[in-house]
Amino acid sequence: MDDKKRKRRRPEPSSDDETRLPFKNRLKPDSIILESLHDLLRTHSASSSNSKTLTLTELSLASTCREVTDLSLPSVQSAIESQILKIAHSILSGHGFSFDVPSRSAANQLYVAELDRIVLKDKTSLRPYANISTVRKSTITTRILQLIHQLCSKNIHVTKRDLFYTDVKLFQDQTQSDSVLDDVSCMLGCTRSSLNVIAAEKGVVVGRLIFSDNGDMIDCTKMGMGGKAIPPNIDRVGDMQSDALFILLVEKDAAYIRLAEDRFYNRFPCIIVTAKGQPDVATRLFLRKMKMELKLPVLALVDSDPYGLKILSVYGCGSKNMSYDSANLTTPDIKWLGIRPSDLDKYKIPEQCRLPMTEQDIKTGKDLLEEDFVKKNPGWVEELTLMVKTKQKAEIQALSTFGFQYLSEVYLPLKLQQRDWL
Amino acid sequence: MDDKKRKRRRPEPSSDDETRLPFKNRLKPDSIILESLHDLLRTHSASSSNSKTLTLTELSLASTCREVTDLSLPSVQSAIESQILKIAHSILSGHGFSFDVPSRSAANQLYVAELDRIVLKDKTSLRPYANISTVRKSTITTRILQLIHQLCSKNIHVTKRDLFYTDVKLFQDQTQSDSVLDDVSCMLGCTRSSLNVIAAEKGVVVGRLIFSDNGDMIDCTKMGMGGKAIPPNIDRVGDMQSDALFILLVEKDAAYIRLAEDRFYNRFPCIIVTAKGQPDVATRLFLRKMKMELKLPVLALVDSDPYGLKILSVYGCGSKNMSYDSANLTTPDIKWLGIRPSDLDKYKIPEQCRLPMTEQDIKTGKDLLEEDFVKKNPGWVEELTLMVKTKQKAEIQALSTFGFQYLSEVYLPLKLQQRDWL
């Protein structure tokens, strides 16, 4: 009996045990990893100062594509007043009341490889008042112009929901006012933020970043575990300062919490940001602003499934719905750090922590393979092809199978050490 | 022609126009409203220092009801070790391996009017290992106990999703590990926060509050428009200080943004908090902690629909699923400030900004009328009865029909001036 017992008793494997924490023993001292990160930053700064951002004009696309820019409130007001004046002239000269509205249909979208983002082509359509099929939309357009003019005078921000409620009788449902709001952005040639209409906030940021939010200086190393909520109105964000070596863009909340609690940003100076799922406009604007002002490389940590890559692509080259503003909403050159399909075998993620892809997942994966922004990156094509072939996906959380802190203590440091991003 | 023009030209109505901004002319100077708020705070402090919180023992319910408390990490560890020791003794004495698990079924719930919250009764059920129907659940229970013991040794926090992924093969799906996690809380007699398992964060706070988050001091008057994300782990929140006169609990994001941008908390000293919809555990814990430590009255601003009142009730007296921890999760004595069904006529909310209630809405409303926590407040019964009768609901945003800042400049100040809460 005593013998039997002894046999059964196994020593608790030490935490360095290679089978329990794969690759932990390959980790070099932090100083070496940090050196590699300094390298990354140097290369990044050099390339970003050499390669100035191309414009539509330089690509000879200015006459066939349309873009919006940030405008000051007085400029937005003047733009609205010009529109209305133009219409008044048109009416007085007997040509009637009509808006010329840029089309945002799929057929009017163009992926420009040199810019690595989707842009809007220049097709427009007339929206006459004296036509039964467009009278409502042209009335809504006029009303939205009036409301925006009001917002600019008062210099306050409202949500799309607020805007809808100012005239429910006319708008009938919110999709109608939302859609015309995007039309108005295009028409006036300014970003939606310039209109002072904001979306609800969703993202949080923590780490080596100091910035001003509506006049208050925020130190994101002193935001505890909760982090700082990303402000909904980017125009009141400024004065960004940072000693970070990179920005870590995280898809999900759970991974963000792990990294915030472990104060990962103190071990490897970085800024950690997440939109908690689907990227919202505020987080996209904030990420771009950080990248542009601080000139930092962006590394993305997303689930190993088609939606992870899709999310990366929205941050990187924009969504079709808001392509007219892709220049302001997209962050170029985001690197895919993980979890990549090839990591599943490489990091020995156990079978039971992987999930079979559904038919829909596989279809989304195959569709992504046809997208230009994936095709231009051979590494991404290879990874995505592997995913669709193995029909397996995995969440970032799957790494918890090796212990709750495997993500922050082994996986991410090793990735950084090996410069293992695509 | 000139005459015609003159007739058509109407003067822009002034912003004080009674028809455009109903009741604006009834607003008294802020100093008078502030005096009324100081009164509220005085009454509140007096009543909260007189009426000590009743306990289950004082109500002679201690033997028939079950509650959990916050335990320190070493205490949680000891509790786990005692459980395991008890089981070892049971096995050695020939009685086998079995857990005695508190039942969390609906039949085991009790609303206690004196406490104004739901509590868990004392029924338990055996979960023997040597039984085909419970062998899996008792194995899962053992594994969760082991994992929690580990978390306590390391003193780190993880999400429920992380916990699931540490042993996918055993847990199979997350509902199983989640549900056993609640069982383990009940069994050990401690809150889920004590187990260091946290939910994703969702809420934000802004206004007259200073507190520490994981060692960092946070000044919520200096959080710009975005506010401070509410930390997911309440045990690292402390040192709350405030000169606020009340806490304003807001259901939705859009209203929160309006009040944050207008810095409403500077005009009427308050703390503004929202969970952006359904209350999550972190926001509920945070609200309770504020109310308890700062001894402030809580005023709630929710949509005028059954879900608004439902949300108020979850903050106030708890959800059935976590009734075992209702003492820690609930905030007693929340006042219903608005939007109340009677406000729709009172504030002349136009018909087109009201929405018809669906069959489901009406059913939820009628069900709520049967709930004890509604019945004990005659004012609430009256309002809810009116809602079900008129079959109309409205969002907070409906007030935007009178201008984007009507909420912060007229509606709320007037509500406070008239002490119009229930």
Side-chain angles (χ1 to χ4, degrees):
Chain A
M1 167 88 184
D2 255 339
D3 253 336
K4 242 185 176 172
K5 252 191 182 169
R6 209 167 299 132
K7 263 186 206 155
R8 277 199 192 167
R9 210 184 288 140
R10 281 182 308 170
E12 176 73 5
S14 83
S15 64
D16 287 331
D17 190 331
E18 179 61 18
T19 50
R20 276 194 66 207
L21 294 180
F23 305 113
K24 185 164 183 191
N25 53 12
R26 297 205 196 161
L27 268 182
K28 296 185 186 156
D30 283 4
S31 57
I32 294 180
I33 304 177
L34 283 170
E35 199 32 64
S36 145
L37 289 172
H38 277 284
D39 267 353
L40 167 66
L41 183 58
R42 269 190 295 271
T43 333
H44 180 83
S45 309
S47 75
S48 41
S49 56
N50 285 339
S51 75
K52 66 189 257 325
T53 312
L54 283 170
T55 63
L56 288 179
T57 316
E58 286 157 342
L59 294 167
S60 313
L61 285 169
S63 59
T64 54
C65 289
R66 175 183 300 274
E67 278 196 316
V68 298
T69 52
D70 277 320
L71 290 184
S72 66
L73 294 187
S75 311
V76 173
Q77 284 185 295
S78 319
I80 294 173
E81 288 156 13
S82 318
Q83 277 285 348
I84 300 299
L85 259 178
K86 213 170 76 188
I87 286 170
H89 282 301
S90 165
I91 294 172
L92 289 174
S93 60
H95 299 302
F97 174 3
S98 179
F99 291 106
D100 197 14
V101 183
S103 154
R104 293 183 295 110
S105 69
N108 203 32
Q109 315 271 353
L110 180 71
Y111 172 80
V112 181
E114 294 88 342
L115 299 173
D116 188 21
R117 55 184 170 83
I118 305 169
V119 299
L120 195 64
K121 291 193 283 185
D122 65 344
K123 222 183 98 201
T124 61
S125 63
L126 275 186
R127 190 173 285 176
Y129 180 74
N131 181 317
I132 192 82
S133 72
T134 50
V135 58
R136 279 207 67 237
K137 260 205 158 166
S138 66
T139 311
I140 293 177
T141 310
T142 319
R143 180 78 168 119
I144 295 274
L145 284 169
Q146 183 212 1
L147 289 168
I148 301 292
H149 197 267
Q150 220 177 78
L151 283 182
C152 294
S153 326
K154 292 194 173 177
N155 190 14
I156 56 168
H157 294 79
V158 301
T159 60
K160 297 202 272 182
R161 191 80 182 145
D162 285 312
L163 203 67
F164 162 66
Y165 264 114
T166 45
D167 203 340
V168 177
K169 200 169 185 172
L170 173 62
F171 302 145
Q172 290 178 357
D173 73 83
Q174 202 189 322
T175 54
Q176 302 198 24
S177 52
D178 284 0
S179 150
V180 169
L181 186 69
D182 280 323
D183 291 340
V184 163
S185 267
C186 288
M187 257 172 60
L188 301 178
C190 68
T191 59
R192 209 178 66 196
S193 329
S194 312
L195 303 178
N196 273 14
V197 180
I198 54 183
E201 55 181 30
K202 211 164 67 100
V204 285
V205 59
V206 80
R208 309 283 272 247
L209 173 70
I210 294 174
F211 71 98
S212 68
D213 174 2
N214 208 8
D216 298 328
M217 286 309 293
I218 311 285
D219 182 347
C220 298
T221 58
K222 299 197 173 131
M223 285 293 129
M225 195 160 144
K228 170 74 178 87
I230 290 177
N233 47 338
I234 195 74
D235 53 319
R236 302 228 176 136
V237 167
D239 309 315
M240 286 185 166
Q241 302 157 35
S242 176
D243 64 347
L245 300 173
F246 63 101
I247 297 167
L248 186 59
L249 175 64
V250 177
E251 175 180 346
K252 294 248 203 78
D253 217 20
Y256 168 87
I257 291 176
R258 170 83 280 116
L259 297 169
E261 182 170 60
D262 293 352
R263 299 209 189 232
F264 185 77
Y265 51 84
N266 283 342
R267 185 168 164 199
F268 302 107
C270 65
I271 303 168
I272 305 173
V273 65
T274 181
K276 303 182 183 173
Q278 285 300 327
D280 56 316
V281 168
T283 309
R284 288 165 66 189
L285 288 168
F286 194 81
L287 178 69
R288 179 181 169 86
K289 199 177 176 82
M290 280 199 295
K291 156 108 185 173
M292 290 308 168
E293 299 210 343
L294 305 170
K295 306 222 183 308
L296 293 176
V298 181
L299 306 176
L301 178 66
V302 297
D303 286 345
S304 177
D305 62 27
Y307 308 101
L309 192 59
K310 186 102 194 159
I311 282 172
L312 210 164
S313 86
V314 171
Y315 283 113
C317 65
S319 67
K320 290 192 173 135
N321 188 39
M322 293 188 72
S323 63
Y324 64 87
D325 192 13
S326 64
N328 295 292
L329 285 167
T330 57
T331 305
D333 196 28
I334 298 178
K335 304 295 186 195
W336 189 6
L337 186 68
I339 310 291
R340 296 206 307 269
S342 63
D343 287 344
L344 304 195
D345 282 345
K346 196 162 153 195
Y347 285 86
K348 302 182 180 168
I349 307 280
E351 280 298 322
Q352 68 265 24
C353 294
R354 307 179 187 192
L355 301 165
M357 286 168 78
T358 63
E359 284 305 313
Q360 183 56 47
D361 290 341
I362 295 169
K363 188 181 171 307
T364 309
K366 286 182 177 161
D367 288 350
L368 277 174
L369 275 170
E370 298 305 312
E371 295 277 354
D372 297 315
F373 73 88
V374 173
K375 282 198 225 159
K376 55 121 197 159
N377 192 326
W380 292 16
V381 173
E382 206 175 300
E383 291 283 355
L384 193 56
T385 309
L386 178 67
M387 188 198 296
V388 173
K389 203 183 112 206
T390 58
K391 299 192 168 80
Q392 286 186 324
K393 58 182 182 178
E395 293 182 46
I396 305 171
Q397 262 43 57
L399 294 170
S400 298
T401 191
F402 304 122
F404 298 117
Q405 290 173 296
Y406 189 77
L407 172 72
S408 53
E409 293 190 347
V410 181
Y411 179 82
L412 282 180
L414 197 63
K415 280 268 172 184
L416 296 175
Q417 174 182 312
Q418 300 177 336
R419 308 181 61 116
D420 184 17
W421 50 74
L422 292 175
Chain B
M1 167 90 187
D2 256 337
D3 255 334
K4 241 184 175 175
K5 252 189 180 170
R6 209 167 299 134
K7 261 186 206 155
R8 276 199 192 167
R9 210 184 289 143
R10 282 181 311 168
E12 177 73 5
S14 83
S15 62
D16 287 333
D17 190 328
E18 178 64 16
T19 50
R20 275 194 65 206
L21 295 180
F23 305 114
K24 183 158 186 199
N25 54 10
R26 298 206 197 161
L27 267 183
K28 296 184 185 156
D30 281 5
S31 57
I32 294 178
I33 304 178
L34 283 169
E35 198 34 63
S36 146
L37 289 171
H38 278 285
D39 266 353
L40 167 66
L41 183 58
R42 270 190 295 271
T43 332
H44 181 82
S45 310
S47 75
S48 42
S49 57
N50 284 339
S51 75
K52 68 189 253 329
T53 313
L54 282 171
T55 64
L56 288 179
T57 316
E58 286 158 341
L59 295 167
S60 314
L61 284 170
S63 58
T64 54
C65 289
R66 174 183 301 272
E67 276 197 315
V68 298
T69 52
D70 277 321
L71 289 184
S72 66
L73 293 186
S75 311
V76 173
Q77 284 186 296
S78 319
I80 294 174
E81 287 156 15
S82 316
Q83 278 283 348
I84 300 300
L85 260 179
K86 213 171 77 187
I87 286 170
H89 282 302
S90 165
I91 294 172
L92 289 173
S93 62
H95 299 304
F97 174 4
S98 179
F99 290 106
D100 198 14
V101 183
S103 155
R104 293 183 296 110
S105 69
N108 203 32
Q109 315 270 354
L110 181 71
Y111 171 79
V112 182
E114 293 88 343
L115 300 172
D116 189 21
R117 56 184 169 84
I118 305 168
V119 299
L120 196 63
K121 292 193 283 183
D122 66 344
K123 221 183 100 200
T124 62
S125 63
L126 275 186
R127 190 173 285 177
Y129 181 74
N131 182 315
I132 192 82
S133 72
T134 49
V135 58
R136 280 206 68 237
K137 260 202 158 168
S138 65
T139 311
I140 293 177
T141 310
T142 319
R143 181 78 167 119
I144 295 275
L145 283 170
Q146 185 212 2
L147 289 169
I148 300 293
H149 197 268
Q150 223 177 75
L151 283 182
C152 294
S153 325
K154 292 194 174 178
N155 190 14
I156 57 169
H157 294 80
V158 300
T159 60
K160 297 202 271 183
R161 191 81 182 146
D162 286 312
L163 203 67
F164 162 66
Y165 263 114
T166 46
D167 203 341
V168 178
K169 200 168 185 172
L170 173 62
F171 301 145
Q172 290 177 357
D173 74 83
Q174 201 190 324
T175 54
Q176 302 199 24
S177 52
D178 283 1
S179 148
V180 169
L181 186 69
D182 280 325
D183 291 340
V184 163
S185 266
C186 288
M187 256 172 61
L188 301 179
C190 68
T191 59
R192 209 178 67 196
S193 329
S194 311
L195 303 179
N196 273 14
V197 179
I198 55 183
E201 54 180 29
K202 212 163 66 101
V204 283
V205 60
V206 80
R208 310 283 271 248
L209 172 70
I210 294 175
F211 72 99
S212 69
D213 174 3
N214 209 9
D216 298 327
M217 286 309 294
I218 312 285
D219 182 347
C220 298
T221 59
K222 299 197 174 130
M223 286 294 128
M225 195 160 144
K228 170 74 178 86
I230 289 178
N233 48 339
I234 194 75
D235 51 320
R236 302 227 177 136
V237 167
D239 309 313
M240 286 184 166
Q241 300 157 35
S242 176
D243 64 347
L245 300 174
F246 62 99
I247 297 167
L248 186 60
L249 175 64
V250 177
E251 176 179 345
K252 294 247 201 79
D253 219 20
Y256 168 88
I257 290 176
R258 174 80 279 116
L259 297 169
E261 181 169 59
D262 292 352
R263 300 211 190 230
F264 185 77
Y265 51 84
N266 283 343
R267 183 166 166 203
F268 302 107
C270 65
I271 303 167
I272 305 173
V273 66
T274 181
K276 302 180 183 175
Q278 284 300 328
D280 56 316
V281 168
T283 309
R284 288 164 66 190
L285 288 168
F286 194 82
L287 177 68
R288 180 183 168 84
K289 197 175 177 85
M290 281 199 292
K291 156 107 186 171
M292 290 308 168
E293 299 208 344
L294 305 170
K295 306 221 182 313
L296 293 176
V298 181
L299 306 177
L301 178 65
V302 296
D303 286 345
S304 177
D305 62 25
Y307 309 101
L309 193 57
K310 185 100 194 163
I311 282 172
L312 209 165
S313 87
V314 171
Y315 283 113
C317 65
S319 68
K320 287 188 176 143
N321 188 39
M322 293 189 72
S323 63
Y324 64 87
D325 193 13
S326 63
N328 295 293
L329 284 167
T330 57
T331 305
D333 197 28
I334 298 178
K335 304 294 187 197
W336 189 7
L337 187 67
I339 312 289
R340 296 207 308 270
S342 62
D343 287 344
L344 304 194
D345 281 344
K346 196 161 152 194
Y347 284 86
K348 302 180 182 169
I349 307 279
E351 280 300 320
Q352 66 265 27
C353 295
R354 309 179 187 191
L355 300 164
M357 286 168 78
T358 64
E359 285 305 313
Q360 183 55 47
D361 290 341
I362 296 170
K363 189 183 170 303
T364 309
K366 285 183 176 161
D367 288 349
L368 276 175
L369 276 171
E370 299 304 313
E371 295 276 353
D372 297 315
F373 74 88
V374 173
K375 282 198 222 159
K376 55 124 197 158
N377 193 326
W380 292 16
V381 172
E382 206 175 298
E383 290 284 355
L384 193 55
T385 308
L386 177 68
M387 188 196 300
V388 173
K389 202 183 114 207
T390 58
K391 299 195 169 83
Q392 286 187 325
K393 57 182 182 177
E395 293 182 45
I396 305 170
Q397 261 46 54
L399 293 171
S400 298
T401 190
F402 304 123
F404 298 118
Q405 292 174 297
Y406 190 77
L407 172 70
S408 53
E409 294 189 347
V410 181
Y411 179 81
L412 282 179
L414 198 61
K415 280 269 173 185
L416 296 175
Q417 174 183 313
Q418 300 178 333
R419 308 181 62 117
D420 184 16
W421 50 74
L422 292 176

